[in-house]
């Protein structure tokens, strides 16, 4: 049983949940401050949102692995994934996806009405990403939208609506994710060309991809700046934005030096960025909370 759990954890790269987990927490804290004048939104909401996040991501990753079996087995970087090396059968992967989709929809029902109504459209976006690379190089942005849904979900769970600052936070995440996915995709540029897959690196080349990635990250910090402004953030929120900018610059610098640095830039820098931003937003909101009391 432990071996099977380990295989499924590897299948969905469970540890990478941090990429979207931090931003759903940011959205929940800020939303709670708006309606409760407190950073705490309750254990029930925290549990339901965590379950929704994990199940949605498990569905998205599992479905992607299921759809990409024929591609992953040809790529030396991905041919050891559990979905293609025999550790997990295609039927098991599909059942895993269905189970997590059901869990996500049921969890959304218990969050609130709007969350339930949007649960199926959210799943359609998450599943649609898996097919995009077959006919459009916009797949990078679709992946960004998929993760950008996380802060939207957090706002809905706490407020039951989507304020303007929530949209700005989400759009920032879209460009942040698309920007680092471009860097990550540089590893597969030759493979994508050979297999006729659509990606910005395979179509526009390395240097233009680096430039587009930098523009995406510039858009990310612009929209995060709008988020901080419209959510009435104080000093620590702007400080968190500044630190995030420095981390994105460092990420771009690492990759520009050597493409061998892509894993470090992708898994380490991006993993830290979300939680660093969250800590600053939490600190900012906490100071505001005590000041208003």
């Amino acid at each position: 049983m432990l071996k099977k759990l380990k295989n499924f954890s590897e299948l969905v790269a469970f540890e990478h949940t941090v990429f979207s987990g931090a931003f759903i927490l940011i959205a929940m804290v800020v939303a709670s401050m708006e309606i409760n004048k407190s950073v705490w939104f309750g254990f029930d909401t925290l549990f339901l949102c965590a379950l929704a996040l994990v199940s949605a991501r498990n569905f998205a990753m599992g479905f992607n692995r299921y759809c990409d079996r024929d591609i992953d087995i040809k790529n030396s970087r991905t041919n050891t994934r559990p979905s293609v090396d025999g550790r997990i059968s295609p039927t098991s992967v599909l059942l895993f996806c269905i189970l997590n989709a059901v869990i996500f929809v049921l969890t959304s029902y218990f969050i609130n009405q709007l969350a339930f109504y949007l649960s199926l459209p959210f799943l359609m976006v998450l599943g649609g990403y898996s097919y995009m690379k077959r006919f459009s190089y916009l797949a990078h942005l679709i992946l960004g939208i998929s993760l950008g849904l996380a802060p939207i979900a957090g706002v809905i769970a706490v407020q039951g609506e989507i304020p303007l600052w929530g949209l700005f936070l989400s759009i920032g995440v879209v460009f942040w994710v698309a920007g680092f996915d471009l860097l990550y995709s540089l590893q597969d540029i030759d493979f994508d060309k050979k297999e006729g897959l659509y990606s910005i690196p395979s179509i526009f080349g390395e240097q233009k991809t680096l430039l587009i990635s930098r523009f995406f990250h510039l858009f990310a910090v612009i929209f995060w700046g709008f988020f901080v402004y419209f959510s009435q953030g104080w000093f620590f929120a702007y400080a968190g934005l500044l630190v995030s900018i420095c981390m994105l610059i460092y990420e771009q610098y690492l990759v520009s030096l050597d493409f061998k640095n892509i894993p470090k830039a992708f898994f380490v820098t991006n993993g830290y960025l979300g939680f660093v931003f969250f800590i600053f937003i939490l600190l900012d909101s906490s100071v505001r909370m005590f000041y208003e009391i």
Side-chain angles (χ1 to χ4, degrees), residues 186-187 206-207 210 254-263:
L186 285 167
Q187 298 175 106
E206 295 176 353
Q207 294 307 312
L210 288 172
L254 280 177
V255 177
S256 67
L257 283 180
D258 194 327
F259 287 173
K260 292 181 180 179
N261 293 327
I262 290 175

Side-chain angles (χ1 to χ4, degrees), residues 193-254:
K193 289 179 179 179
K194 179 181 176 182
E195 295 296 321
L197 298 173
Y198 291 86
S199 69
I200 286 179
S202 67
I203 294 175
F204 295 100
E206 295 176 353
Q207 294 307 312
K208 288 184 179 179
T209 296
L210 288 172
L211 183 62
I212 295 170
S213 175
R214 290 164 188 168
F215 272 112
F216 279 3
H217 280 166
L218 175 62
F219 293 150
V221 297
I222 289 173
F223 281 104
W224 283 341
F226 288 151
F227 152 68
V228 172
Y229 176 80
F230 282 97
S231 64
Q232 300 179 357
W234 286 8
F235 168 78
F236 290 107
Y238 284 100
L241 177 63
L242 179 60
V243 173
S244 298
I245 292 172
C246 292
M247 295 181 75
L248 288 176
I249 292 173
Y250 177 64
E251 176 184 356
Q252 293 287 343
Y253 171 72
L254 280 177

Side-chain angles (χ1 to χ4, degrees), residues 27 41 86 142 162-163 186 192 247 266 286:
F41 34 79
I142 301 302
I162 307 174
L186 285 167
D192 289 346
M247 295 181 75
F266 183 78
S286 299

